[in-house]
Amino acid sequence: MALCRRYIDKDMNCCFNRATSPITDSSPYEVRRAQELNNLLGPKGSTDAIDLICDLHNTTANMGLTLIHYTTSDWVTLARTSQTKITKVPVRVLVLDFPISDAYNFESVSRHGFSIEVGPQPHGVVRADIYIIMKEAVDLTIDWIHKFNSGTVFEGGDVEAFKFIKSVDYPRDPETRTLTSAIHPQLQDRDFCLLMRGDPLFFTFSRETVKPLYDCPIYPLAHNVHWNGQMYFPSQKKFGW
Amino acid sequence: MALCRRYIDKDMNCCFNRATSPITDSSPYEVRRAQELNNLLGPKGSTDAIDLICDLHNTTANMGLTLIHYTTSDWVTLARTSQTKITKVPVRVLVLDFPISDAYNFESVSRHGFSIEVGPQPHGVVRADIYIIMKEAVDLTIDWIHKFNSGTVFEGGDVEAFKFIKSVDYPRDPETRTLTSAIHPQLQDRDFCLLMRGDPLFFTFSRETVKPLYDCPIYPLAHNVHWNGQMYFPSQKKFGW
């Protein structure tokens, strides 16, 4: 809190894929804490695990309100409920579709976990608009849980979601590993918008536009312009339930 | 760099008002470094000080390109030059008008120092648009210095600037000192825009609008929504040279 950062040494929210690895003297503090939480609320992947963990995040990326899930088979009704009720901002569903053993986030400990990611908001800053969006998303999630628990029947349907394909690093100097480019201004803040083959992607610090040619001719994009960040390429899919 | 923060313990750029205080065993590292820089490039306020330090900053506030000066008597031509040549973003001049002994920033060590502040850009993030603005501002400043040094005569005129009046803290819980409000969404990102008496200023986390009544009936506002930040109230002025 004093340093106004999410974490100092190790991101605990990336430790839950090792939540059952043996602890050694050299295990970082965050790995130990992740195991404690897994023992308390999990164990992950077991029938003893608690029903739902909803992890709240914010990001500097212009992601609007994004619900992040690990599977394509379990999350649909929750996602659908939130999508239809929050209309002030774009609401997207992002499916990572990792095997549960590779899922590194806290919410993967629970049986039906998901996270709510809201942005853009700089680190160390609180924006009232972002606060309001997150508050509404949490309130609607709790409302939905109450309805579910009281026996409400939800109709089937389908939902559009973005499915994670791959992450790529930003261009770096091969020797020093320092960044040589930022997101191209034409693409900045256009998370989840369609990017066509040959569209500007990066802008080098020597002021050149980079237009890489990827295998996939068109795809939407969610990017994260942190110095230490990566870029994520999801594709749009439709799922039914 | 590893922590992706501007500073860890003490902001060296707030140490130059004590650049001539006696050093003791308990003096922080940054105060010592500030004194070294003052000895090297100053001493501040003396005729031996170097001509110009231009300090480059970025901020999460939506300040566009802002030139920050310490006096109302020396900075006008530089400011004017930049103002007329950079047209892609709003360019403002902010005058702190502190006595030189109270000036805490690095550029106050030089005889004609000023800083270039560009935003919005989150900490730890590089945006190409912000990079381009800063690069142009620096290039134009260097061009102007070359012209000045080669004997170019600049015509007189006047310039609109914002003059610092006061800073205020965000509303906090009187006991815990934690924040109880953020900037009101209607005001968010409207730095330097006119704020009328009674306009929404803060938005509490219990979702209430706060409309404080200040002495000044109307004023522009530059705000900085850091958890540890303050809000600045400048007023618009016109200066001639």
Side-chain angles (χ1 to χ4, degrees), chain A:
Chain A
M1 281 295 282
L3 287 186
C4 214
R5 279 170 48 91
R6 180 172 160 198
Y7 64 90
I8 302 300
D9 297 319
K10 194 170 182 65
D11 185 356
M12 190 174 76
N13 207 34
C14 290
C15 293
F16 289 92
N17 53 342
R18 284 174 288 174
T20 55
S21 330
I23 289 286
T24 68
D25 286 347
S26 61
S27 298
Y29 169 79
E30 290 81 3
V31 173
R32 294 168 195 269
R33 288 290 291 145
Q35 291 218 4
E36 286 172 25
L37 287 168
N38 185 52
N39 291 336
L40 190 68
L41 303 172
K44 186 168 97 167
S46 77
T47 52
D48 290 337
I50 63 164
D51 288 335
L52 180 70
I53 293 174
C54 174
D55 207 8
L56 312 183
H57 286 258
N58 66 73
T59 171
T60 55
N62 187 28
M63 289 177 74
L65 169 57
T66 302
L67 308 174
I68 303 177
H69 297 263
Y70 277 108
T71 76
T72 54
S73 57
D74 178 60
W75 46 270
V76 180
T77 44
L78 261 178
R80 183 75 178 169
T81 306
S82 299
Q83 273 199 304
T84 52
K85 286 200 178 173
I86 301 175
T87 55
K88 283 183 193 163
V89 291
V91 182
R92 285 96 169 200
V93 177
L94 177 62
V95 181
L96 301 180
D97 219 5
F98 291 169
I100 193 77
S101 54
D102 293 345
Y104 47 77
N105 283 10
F106 177 42
E107 66 270 23
S108 68
V109 166
S110 70
R111 298 171 68 198
H112 308 277
F114 69 104
S115 62
I116 300 176
E117 186 92 50
V118 183
Q121 181 170 260
H123 293 301
V125 165
V126 61
R127 289 179 63 104
D129 52 357
I130 298 290
Y131 170 81
I132 291 167
I133 292 165
M134 182 62 93
K135 181 74 166 61
E136 286 182 351
V138 171
D139 289 347
L140 288 169
T141 301
I142 293 170
D143 286 350
W144 186 88
I145 291 168
H146 281 310
K147 282 185 189 159
F148 183 88
N149 286 344
S150 60
T152 303
V153 175
F154 298 96
E155 284 190 17
D158 55 48
V159 63
E160 275 199 338
F162 293 87
K163 192 168 179 181
F164 175 80
I165 296 174
K166 66 174 175 180
S167 65
V168 296
D169 193 11
Y170 286 85
R172 292 178 187 272
D173 181 281
E175 288 185 12
T176 63
R177 304 299 302 148
T178 55
L179 288 190
T180 55
S181 305
I183 295 287
H184 194 280
Q186 280 185 34
L187 185 61
Q188 179 71 50
D189 299 331
R190 293 175 53 78
D191 300 65
F192 288 117
C193 294
L194 203 62
L195 187 76
M196 304 297 285
R197 186 182 179 89
D199 279 351
L201 180 56
F202 297 116
F203 186 81
T204 71
F205 297 133
S206 50
R207 308 188 69 160
E208 285 165 8
T209 293
V210 181
K211 299 177 179 179
L213 300 172
Y214 286 99
D215 296 340
C216 188
I218 54 171
Y219 43 77
L221 173 83
H223 54 76
N224 184 339
V225 291
H226 289 185
W227 277 105
N228 301 318
Q230 288 202 312
M231 190 179 297
Y232 302 101
F233 292 135
S235 71
Q236 212 160 16
K237 305 270 180 186
K238 192 170 272 191
F239 302 102
W241 71 93

Side-chain angles (χ1 to χ4, degrees), chain B residues 59-117:
Chain B
T59 170
T60 54
N62 187 27
M63 289 177 74
L65 169 57
T66 302
L67 308 174
I68 304 177
H69 296 264
Y70 275 108
T71 76
T72 55
S73 58
D74 179 62
W75 46 270
V76 180
T77 44
L78 261 178
R80 183 71 178 172
T81 305
S82 301
Q83 271 199 305
T84 53
K85 287 200 177 172
I86 302 176
T87 55
K88 283 183 193 161
V89 291
V91 181
R92 285 96 168 200
V93 177
L94 177 62
V95 181
L96 300 179
D97 220 4
F98 290 169
I100 193 77
S101 55
D102 292 346
Y104 47 77
N105 282 10
F106 178 42
E107 66 271 22
S108 69
V109 166
S110 71
R111 297 170 71 198
H112 307 278
F114 69 104
S115 62
I116 300 176
E117 186 93 51

